[in-house]
Every structure is written in C-alpha cells, then in structure tokens.
Amino acid sequence: DAGITQSPRHKVTETGTPVTLRCHQTENHRYMYWYRQDPGHGLRLIHYSYGVKDTDKGEVSDGYSVSRSKTEDFLLTLESATSSQTSVYFCAISLRAGAGELFFGEGSRLTVL
Amino acid sequence: AQKITQTQPGMFVQEKEAVTLDCTYDTSDQSYGLFWYKQPSSGEMIFLIYQGSYDEQNATEGRYSLNFQKARKSANLVISASQLGDSAMYFCAMRALVGETSGSRLTFGEGTQLTVNP
C-alpha cells in the first residue's frame, strides 16, 4: 500500500466551473503525477511534480494547473471545466527517486455537463 | 517522442491456457524501461512486471513473463495458466531515463481488454 488518497472520488460539475482534485500521500515521496484515462487513449500524463513547488507539464496539460505546497499534497485544478475534461483522473507516485514503477491512487471520476 | 502500440483491443482465452498480449514501442533512447499494468473492472491500476532495456534476461513474476525482443522493439506480456481473475484491461507502458527531474514519467498504450472464459 503506497498510501495514496484521491479526493473527491466522484464529482459532477457544470461547464465553466472550477474544479480541484486532491492527491494525498503519507510516505513523503518526492515524485507525484496526474494522469487522465480516456477510452482509446490509455493514460496520458497531465502534470507531474519532482518536489515541493517543482512541477512540469505532461503531454495534455492545456486547461490544467497544479500546485504542490507541501510534500504530501499534489493538487490538480481545472480553472474552467469543459466537457472534454470529463475523464477518470489518476494520481500516482514513484517510490524510488527518479525511477521505478508508478503506484496509482484509486482514481477520481469527473463528469462535466 | 515515445510511442506505445497495443494492436489488440480485445483478447479471449480459455481458463488454464496461456495468452500473449502484444506491445510494440518506438523510441530513440538507448536506455528505457518497459512496464505492464493490469486494470480490473474495479478501476485500480496494478503494476505487474518491469523490463529494463539493458536487462539480458526476460523478466518474470509468477505467472507473468515479459517477452522482450529489443531488435523488434516489442515487449509482449505472457500470462501462463490463465485464471478467471485475469480478466481485465492490460496496459503496456514505457519510461525514458532522461534525468532526475523527469522522475518516472510513463507513456502508456491504449490497452488490451482480456477476457478469460471458463
């Protein structure tokens, strides 16, 4: 158990509203990631973090921002949600510095109407 | 840029038989890692097996083995003696080793839905 908690697990919102998803870890791991999963696309990296206040973009970062003000929390924000952002969002951590497999949270299902 | 291709959207296998799930990759990196994940209908992502590009032997983990053919850029997952609980979506993924700040960013394929029939 890598100690990853995502919240909320399910959310329905309307187009144009802001949404924040939270990823919390209990093990002080340096690297954290946000992925989205969509049918026909597998999982795609949105943003990742390699330390407090250190973040970088992934391949599908448009429309998303992230923040990491402390080691245990990595927040994903949709400033103005769109229907194309309806997806399942996974947070992940890597246990070994800069290497190794990813361990995933349980996912957050977001529906934008 | 890296790319993972899984050409089998769905696969069917009889219980107790072996099955191979295909994965090909494209990269210009010399050093990289290959992963397989399982996603059951409950939705969680479960790490199965890892192969490093410099590993000379194919990785094995219990009933899972990774058939790594570097020259052909393939990393197929072999599941021996399939069980009903193996029914799930399977994802192949790849990581380039490009520096400390990159962490373990993975590029995923689209997945293969495996159904094990009794």
Side-chain angles (χ1 to χ4, degrees):
Chain A
D1 183 4
I4 307 169
T5 305
Q6 290 186 229
S7 59
R9 295 289 314 283
H10 301 273
K11 186 173 181 65
V12 180
T13 191
E14 294 187 348
T15 298
T17 60
V19 176
T20 295
L21 305 180
R22 179 183 184 232
C23 179
H24 178 78
Q25 55 137 332
T26 58
E27 305 285 334
N28 290 324
H29 297 294
R30 179 181 175 188
Y31 297 90
M32 300 183 75
Y33 313 79
W34 276 108
Y35 282 84
R36 61 177 288 175
Q37 182 179 16
D38 305 288
H41 292 279
L43 281 81
R44 293 178 292 174
L45 181 65
I46 306 171
H47 281 279
Y48 67 101
S49 170
Y50 48 95
V52 173
K53 294 186 175 16
D54 291 324
T55 65
D56 205 349
K57 296 178 179 180
E59 62 177 302
V60 290
S61 59
D62 287 349
Y64 301 95
S65 62
V66 290
S67 65
R68 193 167 179 201
S69 60
K70 46 187 178 178
T71 300
E72 58 265 36
D73 288 326
F74 191 31
L75 305 180
L76 177 71
T77 297
L78 292 65
E79 300 290 349
S80 178
T82 67
S83 58
S84 65
Q85 293 175 312
T86 292
S87 187
V88 179
Y89 292 85
F90 283 96
C91 175
I93 62 172
S94 47
L95 301 187
R96 290 187 283 149
E101 64 272 27
L102 297 185
F103 287 87
F104 287 84
E106 295 176 313
S108 296
R109 183 174 294 275
L110 175 67
T111 302
V112 184
L113 303 176
Chain B
Q2 300 178 313
K3 184 175 173 62
I4 294 286
T5 302
Q6 296 180 251
T7 57
Q8 306 155 315
M11 287 283 287
F12 295 86
V13 65
Q14 290 297 121
E15 193 177 7
K16 300 181 184 178
E17 292 185 352
V19 63
T20 297
L21 305 184
D22 294 341
C23 172
T24 58
Y25 60 91
D26 188 21
T27 182
S28 57
D29 297 314
Q30 295 300 311
S31 183
Y32 50 88
L34 295 155
F35 302 78
W36 278 91
Y37 282 83
K38 172 184 178 181
Q39 186 179 42
S41 58
S42 52
E44 71 266 35
M45 293 288 291
I46 302 168
F47 165 72
L48 295 178
I49 196 166
Y50 168 80
Q51 178 86 41
S53 58
Y54 290 114
D55 294 340
E56 294 185 353
Q57 292 195 331
N58 288 341
T60 60
E61 289 286 349
R63 293 185 300 110
Y64 304 107
S65 61
L66 199 153
N67 184 1
F68 180 47
Q69 299 187 40
K70 194 170 183 177
R72 301 178 68 176
K73 293 189 175 181
S74 72
N76 298 339
L77 177 70
V78 181
I79 305 175
S80 63
S82 297
Q83 302 172 356
L84 296 179
D86 294 334
S87 293
M89 181 73 84
Y90 288 81
F91 291 99
C92 181
M94 179 176 190
R95 181 196 75 221
L97 303 177
V98 292
E100 185 180 354
T101 60
S102 68
S104 193
R105 293 180 297 169
L106 299 186
T107 299
F108 285 81
E110 296 180 7
T112 296
Q113 180 69 47
L114 176 67
T115 302
V116 181
N117 294 316

